[in-house]
Amino acid sequence: MNPSPAQSAGSATETTAYRSPHSRSRELYQRASQVMPGGNTRHSIAMAPYPIYAVSGSGCRVRDVEGDERIDFLNNYTSLILGHADPRVTAAVERRVASSTAFTMPTPEDVELAELLVARIPYVDQIRFCNSGSEAVMLAVKAARAFTGRHKIAKFEGAYHGIYDYVEVSEGPAADEWGDADAPRSVTEPGTPPSVAEDVLILPWNRLEACRGLIAQHKDELAAILVDPMPLGIGMIQPRPGFLEFLREETARHGILLVADEVLNFRISYHGAAHAFGIQPDLASFGKIIGGGFPVGAVGGSRRVMSVFDHTGGLKVHHGGTFNANPVTITAGLETMRQMTREAFDRLNGLGDYIRERLTRMLHDRGLDAQVCGRASMFVAHLNSGELVDYRSLRGFSRTSPIYGELCHEMLGRGIITSPRGVFGCLSTPMREPEAGAFVDSLDESIRRLGIRPS
Ligand SMILES: Cc1ncc(COP(=O)(O)O)c(C=O)c1O
């Protein structure tokens, strides 16, 4: 195994074997391209010219097929809050697997995880499990439609909520598709019927007066406003003071449900993201960390709204799913959530403050007009100048800008895993200040090597 720079406290050792013409990653990608379109089965991890293939992970480190080890700041896009192969999660899962993995019956663990989440999340009286965040968002939207008897939803331009047709609308429109800043166009993805666009109102993030006008125009048709309180697709730009409260008030006034997408941001706090931002949604979707590293989703909310799923009381929304609440996921999720005590969140979020502060200082010292967004255990360093307000304000230095891909490869070569679509990272509990510092040093050195200078 080749030690990474972070392991050897900033030495110049490189983790670049994947770039060799004879690397196993290159060979695996060539084989993958024969049997999978684009050589890929998950667009969010595609990387040019090819991805690095992983073999194992332990704590905050991941080893690739060449034997190089790196510190993992992606954690399967935020889902591994305890890092890789946590010993207690692994032991619990091994015990579970040895006594079968799936039944056509519920298990006691379903009830325990549901009870744990209901006890922690102030706006969740009842919850149901599914297998992905996308399913969780879809179920929340369907529940809102069934509850209100209305069919339209509103969501924010640039926000990602998974792969359900309606929530994919305008998840990343190109500048020539935007339309009016005060009335953004609804842009569907390829493969989606154009009629879907008519049922999705697109709102501009943080632009309160524009949102007020748009909501007022569509108030009688809107079943829900779907909001991620700090959307990664919008660069984790924080909601302006009062913006989320305004959404809560407007929705309540017009009989629209407020649906929080906490699939990614539930890791912000012990009580959930909406709570941390001071709002009380009617429904929320969850995923990622609550599955302890296994596929998961969940929809939860007030008892009144969740009653649309109650088959004993005149069912309105059907919810099947062969693997819903599968015992392996639920066991891993339960062990993970038990370890994520208030103190564990506090320590991890304190490390988040530390890394955001160090990143900000380093970028400032380099003279770059860059900005660090994010909160709790997540951060995004934007190499943008100008005020960051909404999705459109990011495009000057867009997440598709080639510079982010180059920075990512530089950092991969220095023992750090980050995203090719922006300098994004999230922390896991095995990390301490040296690992956070290694990220900052690696970005600093990568910026220098690429010659990124103040504009
Ligand atoms: C905010 C948000 N919602 C929904 C999803 C979809 O979750 P999944 O990938 O588990 O389907 C994601 C995935 O990254 C997400 O970040």
Side-chain angles (χ1 to χ4, degrees):
M1 186 176 76
N2 312 326
S4 71
Q7 264 181 311
S8 45
S11 85
T13 313
E14 292 194 330
T15 47
T16 51
Y18 76 97
R19 295 185 202 160
S20 137
H22 308 294
S23 76
R24 280 210 67 210
S25 283
R26 187 187 290 255
E27 186 237 317
L28 282 164
Y29 184 67
Q30 279 163 357
R31 281 168 52 196
S33 301
Q34 298 304 310
V35 287
M36 290 180 254
N40 173 286
T41 195
R42 181 180 173 196
H43 287 140
S44 50
I45 59 166
M47 188 169 81
Y50 50 84
I52 301 176
Y53 286 74
V55 280
S56 63
S58 174
C60 60
R61 292 180 160 79
V62 166
R63 190 180 304 178
D64 73 13
V65 287
E66 329 305 327
D68 275 335
E69 198 176 73
R70 299 179 181 83
I71 306 176
D72 186 3
F73 284 89
L74 287 184
N75 292 301
N76 194 26
Y77 271 108
T78 73
S79 57
L80 300 171
I81 198 160
L82 302 180
H84 295 267
D86 173 80
R88 278 151 64 188
V89 174
T90 305
V93 167
E94 280 172 358
R95 280 195 303 276
R96 176 67 264 174
V97 169
S99 44
S100 191
T101 58
F103 307 94
T104 4
M105 299 174 194
T107 61
E109 293 94 319
D110 308 0
V111 187
E112 286 180 58
L113 184 58
E115 283 172 347
L116 182 149
L117 293 169
V118 165
R120 284 192 186 190
I121 312 167
Y123 32 90
V124 170
D125 301 328
Q126 294 196 314
I127 196 160
R128 295 179 73 91
F129 296 108
C130 52
N131 291 293
S132 69
S134 293
E135 277 181 63
V137 172
M138 176 181 75
L139 287 165
V141 167
K142 289 188 179 191
R145 290 194 195 114
F147 185 80
T148 59
R150 303 171 182 174
H151 61 279
K152 265 194 184 174
I153 61 160
K155 70 168 290 269
F156 288 89
E157 186 171 43
Y160 180 71
H161 299 286
I163 60 169
Y164 179 41
D165 286 356
Y166 294 84
V167 303
E168 279 186 327
V169 175
S170 293
E171 68 177 17
D176 60 359
E177 300 172 311
W178 286 349
D180 187 338
D182 286 340
R185 280 181 54 202
S186 296
V187 181
T188 52
E189 291 293 297
T192 303
S195 58
V196 166
E198 290 161 25
D199 287 332
V200 183
L201 172 68
I202 299 300
L203 301 173
W205 185 241
N206 270 333
R207 293 164 53 89
L208 191 146
E209 286 311 323
C211 289
R212 192 195 301 283
L214 289 167
I215 295 167
Q217 262 176 46
H218 298 271
K219 63 181 172 32
D220 298 329
E221 304 151 295
L222 281 174
I225 295 185
L226 176 62
V227 62
D228 175 341
M230 189 178 72
L232 181 57
I234 313 182
M236 292 199 157
I237 299 171
Q238 302 270 344
R240 282 179 163 165
F243 185 66
L244 295 178
E245 292 82 349
F246 152 80
L247 292 178
R248 178 62 284 185
E249 282 159 24
E250 286 294 286
T251 46
R253 207 150 64 85
H254 299 306
I256 303 165
L257 297 192
L258 186 64
V259 178
D261 181 351
E262 301 211 12
V263 169
L264 188 137
N265 276 321
F266 184 58
R267 66 151 50 220
I268 284 181
S269 95
Y270 183 84
H271 295 296
H275 177 79
F277 280 97
I279 52 159
Q280 180 101 7
D282 301 295
L283 274 173
S285 51
F286 305 94
K288 306 228 190 221
I289 71 165
I290 67 162
F294 289 84
V296 76
V299 55
S302 69
R303 188 176 295 273
R304 222 160 67 86
V305 178
M306 288 296 287
S307 69
V308 299
F309 293 109
D310 184 353
H311 69 285
T312 64
L315 173 79
K316 291 196 179 134
V317 180
H318 176 244
H319 178 208
T322 306
F323 288 101
N324 289 354
N326 80 80
V328 182
T329 291
I330 297 293
T331 298
L334 197 52
E335 179 54 41
T336 300
M337 295 315 299
R338 283 181 178 149
Q339 289 192 47
M340 287 311 299
T341 58
R342 284 188 176 81
E343 295 69 32
F345 274 104
D346 286 349
R347 197 198 63 75
L348 195 63
N349 294 351
L351 192 60
D353 292 337
Y354 171 80
I355 193 166
R356 280 186 298 277
E357 200 270 322
R358 279 207 51 188
L359 281 168
T360 305
R361 199 153 18 101
M362 179 276 285
L363 294 164
H364 181 260
D365 289 349
R366 285 217 155 269
L368 294 168
D369 193 8
Q371 299 168 66
V372 180
C373 290
R375 176 173 172 156
S377 56
M378 293 168 286
F379 53 90
V380 186
H382 295 284
L383 303 180
N384 295 55
S385 52
E387 196 190 2
L388 295 180
V389 183
D390 56 9
Y391 173 69
R392 298 186 184 191
S393 63
L394 285 175
R395 307 300 287 190
F397 226 114
S398 86
R399 60 186 161 153
T400 53
S401 165
I403 198 68
Y404 289 124
E406 290 172 34
L407 271 174
C408 176
H409 279 292
E410 281 292 326
M411 293 178 75
L412 287 168
R414 292 186 170 74
I416 299 292
I417 299 176
T418 178
S419 164
R421 291 170 198 81
V423 185
F424 165 69
C426 66
L427 307 174
S428 61
T429 54
M431 292 179 178
R432 296 289 181 275
E433 287 186 4
E435 284 82 19
F439 187 99
V440 181
D441 293 343
S442 157
L443 179 60
D444 189 19
E445 181 58 14
S446 301
I447 286 173
R448 194 189 61 75
R449 279 273 285 272
L450 290 174
I452 300 172
R453 294 202 175 79
S455 48

